[in-house]
Amino acid sequence: MANIEVTFLDRGRVQADRNFVVDGTSVATASNREPEHTYETYVVWNLLVETPETTILWDTGSHPDAGGGYWPQPLYEAFAHVDAAEHTLEGDLADAGYALSDIDAVVMSHLHLDHAGGLSEFDGTDVPIYVHREELPYAYYSANTDEGSIAYLASDFDRDLNWQIVHGDSYHLTDGVELLHLPGHTPGLMGALIERPDDPLLVVGDEAYVQANYEGQSMATSLLWNSARWRESLARCRDIQRETGAEILLGHDLDVFESVQ
Ligand SMILES: [Zn+2]
């Protein structure tokens, strides 16, 4: 079995009403017309996956100016990355003992703005950037028209990048790292099964923003491109977890992130 090490990079905190994450968290009823809202703190993380052959960066986090006008105001109002300015990709890599030049390849789980904000660091380089076939056209379409999702910014990804297109349901990236196509949150969302020795890790990512989503409570509509596909992808993740006994890493659940390390 390949000798694989995973380093977890904490890229900061996003705060939002839980209604934007878990569908119907607080709804008014006849007997409770003013339910309490839960304003929660979530995590943004990246991974460094090191194999004997290669060092892979999983996602690139938010742009440091997310709160300074780089993110569209309506989106920041809903999902506030409150400390993005303190979390540059280069700085967070340095804290973990890595430099940008150590990165041999980047895997983009998808191209939303809390994942693609550090891609500019690879502009003009030949570092391969892996993205799913179903993600890239939807990202361009969304970023450049009024259709699709507002969570895609052309300034994040419309750059001189060495795109490597991933096709199909599963993709063998390198020994011990299988990419999984998990459509639902976005058309081309990817997770991964990382076969750490004795301790496999299932990167579920934004397929489940938090634990409640992984347990089957629907994500809020603002986080769903296609809810039927989302349910299918969730079933696939849970099957893989049952088969492998893998630890899971969810998209933005702070407790899960802290316990998996
Ligand atoms: Zn996300």
Side-chain angles (χ1 to χ4, degrees):
M1 185 171 284
N3 187 18
I4 299 185
E5 258 188 70
V6 177
T7 302
F8 298 83
L9 288 187
D10 187 333
R11 303 300 319 283
R13 300 289 173 271
V14 165
Q15 296 182 327
D17 187 316
R18 190 171 166 89
N19 277 301
F20 284 124
V21 172
V22 180
D23 191 39
T25 295
S26 49
V27 291
T29 59
S31 58
N32 180 11
R33 297 186 179 200
E34 288 180 8
E36 292 216 350
H37 284 250
T38 313
Y39 197 70
E40 281 192 324
T41 298
Y42 305 106
V43 62
V44 174
W45 51 259
N46 299 158
L47 302 178
L48 282 157
V49 183
E50 198 151 5
T51 80
E53 289 82 38
T54 186
T55 300
I56 300 157
L57 175 65
W58 182 276
D59 284 341
T60 66
S62 303
H63 192 283
D65 294 332
Y70 185 86
W71 283 16
Q73 187 62 16
L75 195 144
Y76 194 88
E77 275 294 308
F79 290 93
H81 193 153
V82 290
D83 56 357
E86 297 152 38
H87 284 277
T88 63
L89 180 57
E90 195 171 18
D92 287 350
L93 283 171
D95 288 348
Y98 289 82
L100 283 163
S101 56
D102 294 329
I103 307 299
D104 298 315
V106 179
V107 176
M108 294 304 303
S109 68
H110 60 310
L111 293 173
H112 276 173
L113 75 187
D114 52 333
H115 299 259
L119 270 177
S120 57
E121 300 288 3
F122 302 95
D123 197 324
T125 73
D126 59 3
V127 175
I129 313 288
Y130 290 87
V131 68
H132 196 274
R133 165 71 181 84
E134 301 300 324
E135 187 68 9
L136 202 52
Y138 187 70
Y140 273 85
Y141 162 76
S142 293
N144 292 304
T145 71
D146 292 334
E147 307 282 325
S149 159
I150 66 162
Y152 293 101
L153 302 181
S155 47
D156 281 341
F157 54 79
D158 190 3
R159 291 179 172 275
D160 177 16
L161 296 166
N162 179 18
W163 294 112
Q164 301 293 313
I165 306 300
V166 174
H167 295 263
D169 287 342
S170 301
Y171 181 91
H172 180 78
L173 182 65
T174 186
D175 277 355
V177 182
E178 298 294 324
L179 304 182
L180 310 166
H181 181 212
L182 303 172
H185 173 57
T186 71
L189 185 79
M190 291 196 293
L193 183 61
I194 302 176
E195 308 249 14
R196 293 184 299 194
D198 308 319
D199 192 12
L201 178 67
L202 177 59
V203 181
V204 174
D206 280 19
E207 164 61 23
Y209 203 95
V210 295
Q211 182 72 31
N213 303 133
Y214 191 70
E215 287 165 5
Q217 285 186 59
S218 182
M219 297 218 289
T221 28
S222 61
L223 297 182
L224 285 178
W225 161 73
N226 182 313
S227 76
R229 303 287 299 278
W230 177 78
R231 289 236 165 254
E232 288 169 14
S233 294
L234 185 62
R236 185 180 184 206
C237 289
R238 295 169 61 117
D239 282 349
I240 293 170
Q241 190 195 6
R242 265 194 299 275
E243 280 168 23
T244 60
E247 269 193 285
I248 53 166
L249 178 58
L250 306 182
H252 296 275
D253 190 308
L254 183 56
D255 291 339
V256 170
F257 178 72
E258 284 175 345
S259 68
V260 81
Q261 300 183 52

